[in-house]
Amino acid sequence: MAKASSTPQRKLVVANWKMNPATLERAERLFLESKDAAKQLRRVRTVIAPPTLYLSALTKHYRGARLALGAQDAFWEKTGSYTGEVSAAMLAAMGADYVIVGHSERRAQGEKNEEVAKKARAVLKAGMTPIICVGEDERDDEGEYVNALRKELRESIAGIARAGLSRTYIAYEPRWAIGGSSENALTPEGVHTTSLILKKELAELFDTKMGTNAHILYGGSAEADNAGALVRDGKVEGLLVGHASLQANSFSKLLRAVEEASR
Ligand code: PGA
């Protein structure tokens, strides 16, 4: 297993392909083109999270320090009567190093914080790095969303021990910003402020060191033209990217922008 998951100096860009592309052949093409861009970067580690079905075919093409594979979800039990589920251990055996858990599109289907935490713990136990997604549905002028966000974080990391949490990524994805174009993203200043809120929550739950060293990613309408500013001025450790990772051209530009912003 690639052990670069705890290299905080490298920015992490996670490509969440969601349920795309439609065929393995296209997935392989997109992967190989993304790999060509990812391999050139010294300050960025790229993670491709394809549909689970494509995972083993893609790991055969490449797996290394600059490019790793991830899954978009995992189940907490190892084996058993859980129709349709895939365990964290199965994903690890298939070559995944990272697993996204608690994405808002799964939460919209009813996934609860408690389940997200169970999944994250199983991912850690299987030796992989969880990327736990949190984010408010909408913002209100009174700042109530901050309390909701803190609660979501607290409950989504429940039961994770200090050692596990220190290698976990928290992806802050405001739901209202997902799936748009770059002008729909949160501003870099907003990203920074919110990442401090999350860090403060972790500091209160654990201690200052845990808060300061927490790995925070931003996701939601990150594209090539705002990626650099989101990372540099948002002061986050990387990005979770949806639609902009589905075209090799735009994704390569985004990766290079993050590399440039990390100098
Ligand atoms: P987007 O998706 O980049 O298309 O906004 C991000 C996500 O859903 O993780």
Side-chain angles (χ1 to χ4, degrees):
M1 180 178 312
K3 272 280 168 230
S5 50
S6 58
T7 48
Q9 67 275 27
R10 250 185 223 268
K11 299 293 181 195
L12 198 74
V13 176
V14 184
N16 177 11
W17 284 2
K18 308 190 179 182
M19 203 171 70
N20 301 291
T23 66
L24 175 60
E25 194 190 347
R26 283 167 60 189
E28 289 186 307
R29 205 178 322 131
L30 177 59
F31 181 78
L32 292 172
E33 287 166 357
S34 304
K35 181 199 79 171
D36 289 343
K39 274 184 72 179
Q40 290 166 20
L41 309 178
R42 296 181 49 233
R43 297 177 182 84
V44 174
R45 176 166 225 227
T46 304
V47 177
I48 306 271
T52 309
L53 199 58
Y54 301 155
L55 202 55
S56 76
L58 297 184
T59 50
K60 292 195 180 79
H61 286 294
Y62 185 81
R63 221 177 132 204
R66 293 182 187 191
L67 177 66
L69 277 135
Q72 300 171 14
D73 188 28
F75 196 63
W76 54 82
E77 297 290 352
K78 282 203 178 112
T79 52
S81 305
Y82 304 101
T83 303
E85 300 291 359
V86 176
S87 78
M90 290 171 186
L91 294 167
M94 217 46 87
D97 286 318
Y98 295 79
V99 183
I100 300 168
V101 292
H103 189 279
S104 64
E105 286 154 17
R106 298 211 57 84
R107 290 179 184 269
Q109 291 184 40
E111 189 162 286
K112 301 278 174 285
N113 293 336
E114 191 193 342
E115 294 164 306
V116 174
K118 272 164 114 171
K119 290 179 174 186
R121 295 200 301 267
V123 168
L124 284 162
K125 205 163 169 206
M128 300 177 290
T129 301
I131 299 162
I132 303 176
C133 301
V134 295
E136 76 279 3
D137 289 325
E138 52 189 17
R139 290 202 163 193
D140 56 301
D141 294 339
E142 292 73 40
E144 258 313 301
Y145 75 92
V146 171
N147 293 332
L149 184 62
R150 290 171 57 180
K151 179 172 184 285
E152 189 176 62
L153 174 66
R154 227 166 31 239
E155 294 181 359
S156 301
I157 61 165
I160 300 180
R162 158 181 293 279
L165 199 60
S166 60
R167 57 190 185 88
T168 295
Y169 282 81
I170 306 294
Y172 169 58
E173 296 207 303
R175 268 152 237 170
W176 50 267
I178 291 178
S181 55
S182 51
E183 63 265 26
N184 302 107
L186 180 59
T187 60
E189 296 70 34
V191 169
H192 185 217
T193 309
T194 318
S195 80
L196 291 178
I197 291 169
L198 297 172
K199 286 180 173 217
K200 186 160 177 278
E201 184 65 24
L202 293 173
E204 280 171 20
L205 286 171
F206 290 85
D207 54 33
T208 314
K209 190 167 167 233
M210 184 62 88
T212 313
N213 296 341
H215 310 306
I216 313 279
L217 306 178
Y218 168 77
S221 299
E223 294 189 329
D225 61 344
N226 63 348
L230 285 168
V231 166
R232 188 183 50 244
D233 304 330
K235 299 185 173 59
V236 284
E237 279 193 59
L239 300 171
L240 181 48
V241 182
H243 68 276
S245 67
L246 294 174
Q247 299 286 338
N249 203 10
S250 61
F251 189 52
S252 306
K253 278 192 196 141
L254 183 151
L255 288 175
R256 284 195 292 273
V258 175
E259 169 90 356
E260 201 51 45
S262 316
R263 278 179 197 280

